[in-house]
Amino acid sequence: MSTTQLFASALGLETPWKITDVQFDAGKHRLDIRIDFKRGSKWKCPQCSKDGCPVHDTQERTWRHLNFFEHKAYITARVPRITC
């Protein structure tokens, strides 16, 4: 099992989400995980629940996650904004 598969499984990621990069810096006690989605993915509208909505743009966001042992963990993802 690769590092990306391990973290995807641990985070419970499902298609179309995927891990694109994992960076670990032991000196800074930091783990950075980058998440993205497959181009052309369709999404469910969070307001009306209509399925199959296209993405019109994205916004990159970073969240502080639970520590990975004694290392700070951060998740960065392009969050899709959809057209309903």
Side-chain angles (χ1 to χ4, degrees):
M1 180 179 278
S2 73
T3 303
T4 56
Q5 290 173 324
L6 175 69
F7 282 110
S9 180
L11 292 169
L13 295 183
E14 296 179 359
T15 303
W17 292 107
K18 61 182 179 176
I19 292 183
T20 57
D21 191 33
V22 176
Q23 296 291 319
F24 179 70
D25 189 329
K28 292 183 180 178
H29 297 279
R30 183 175 171 124
L31 172 68
D32 286 284
I33 302 170
R34 284 189 128 339
I35 299 174
D36 205 348
F37 57 90
K38 295 178 183 176
R39 185 178 182 93
S41 296
K42 303 292 184 183
W43 302 87
K44 182 179 277 190
C45 177
Q47 299 200 357
C48 73
S49 297
K50 177 184 173 188
D51 214 5
C53 298
V55 174
H56 69 84
D57 72 354
T58 61
Q59 182 178 20
E60 187 171 277
R61 298 201 46 206
T62 300
W63 297 270
R64 172 77 159 84
H65 199 273
L66 299 172
N67 282 0
F68 178 72
F69 294 97
E70 73 274 4
H71 304 282
K72 293 179 182 174
Y74 294 89
I75 297 175
T76 301
R78 284 188 325 129
V79 178
R81 294 186 347 149
I82 63 165
T83 302
C84 180

